[in-house]
Amino acid sequence: MPISISPMMMRQIIMDHYEHPHNKRTPNDDRYLKINMNSASCIDNIDVFLLVENGIVKDCCFDGVGCTISTASTSIMTDLVVGKTLEEAKNIIENYKKMIAEDEFDENLLDEAIVFINTSKQASRIKCATIGWNGLEELINESEGEKHEQK
C-alpha cells in the first residue's frame, strides 16, 4: 500500500477495522499466551493473545474495550502477524514503531498499518496506536524466553 494513500481512504480503513475488527475474540485454549494492556489516559483496556507453534505465529487475537485508534491498529496488527515467523513478526513490529516515531521504515511490511503514518502528529494518540503492538512484542519476548528455558 503506497504512502500516497488519501486521508479519506486512511480514515475509511481505520473505521472499517474499528467497526468490524478482525480477530477480536477471547480464545478458549490454554496454549495461548495472554497479556492485558491498558491506558490511564484513554478507555483502552485490551487483552492480547498469542499462539506460537514451532516458531510460527499460529494465531493472534485480542479482546476488550478500545478507542477507534487502538482497536483498528490492533485489528490490523493481528492480520499482519498470523502465519509469520517470530522474527518476521518482530520485524513488522519494529518497522511499525519506526513509522510511528517518524524514522525510516519498510512500508512494504506494514500493508494497511500504513494508515497510522501521521500518528506522531497527534502525540496523545501514539499510545493508542501502539498499545496492542507493545503487548504483542511482550508476548513474543515471553514466548522466546520459554523456548530458551526449555533448552
Side-chain angles (χ1 to χ4, degrees):
M1 180 175 302
I3 290 181
S4 62
I5 186 171
S6 75
M8 183 62 120
M9 181 62 88
M10 293 168 104
R11 280 191 292 280
Q12 187 60 51
I13 291 169
I14 290 168
M15 289 309 298
D16 284 348
H17 277 275
Y18 173 67
E19 292 171 354
H20 308 285
H22 301 182
N23 305 302
K24 188 170 191 245
R25 61 187 155 69
T26 297
N28 188 13
D29 185 334
D30 62 3
R31 296 176 302 152
Y32 281 75
L33 296 174
K34 172 187 171 186
I35 190 168
N36 177 262
M37 304 296 289
N38 59 61
S39 171
S41 60
C42 192
I43 65 167
D44 300 336
N45 186 0
I46 62 171
D47 292 324
V48 180
F49 301 92
L50 177 67
L51 178 62
V52 176
E53 292 178 358
N54 300 317
I56 306 288
V57 176
K58 287 294 185 185
D59 193 20
C60 182
C61 53
F62 71 105
D63 212 348
V65 177
C67 69
T68 303
I69 301 298
S70 67
T71 300
S73 71
T74 305
S75 172
I76 291 169
M77 174 197 77
T78 63
D79 285 344
L80 284 174
V81 299
V82 171
K84 301 288 193 286
T85 66
L86 291 177
E87 285 305 314
E88 289 169 329
K90 289 193 303 189
N91 194 28
I92 291 168
I93 294 167
E94 179 185 349
N95 276 272
Y96 180 79
K97 288 183 170 187
K98 284 180 177 180
M99 177 187 72
I100 297 293
E102 298 183 309
D103 290 337
E104 283 189 37
F105 67 97
D106 183 350
E107 71 179 89
N108 296 316
L109 295 175
L110 300 183
D111 196 43
E112 286 185 323
I114 202 77
V115 299
F116 297 101
I117 193 165
N118 296 318
T119 301
S120 62
K121 293 170 181 36
Q122 298 175 313
S124 63
R125 296 321 231 164
I126 292 173
K127 182 156 186 171
C128 301
T130 57
I131 195 166
W133 297 78
N134 290 333
L136 176 59
E137 185 173 43
E138 286 188 43
L139 290 175
I140 289 172
N141 290 338
E142 182 181 333
S143 76
E144 290 181 326
E146 288 177 1
K147 181 175 65 179
H148 293 307
E149 289 172 16
Q150 293 173 356
K151 287 185 176 179

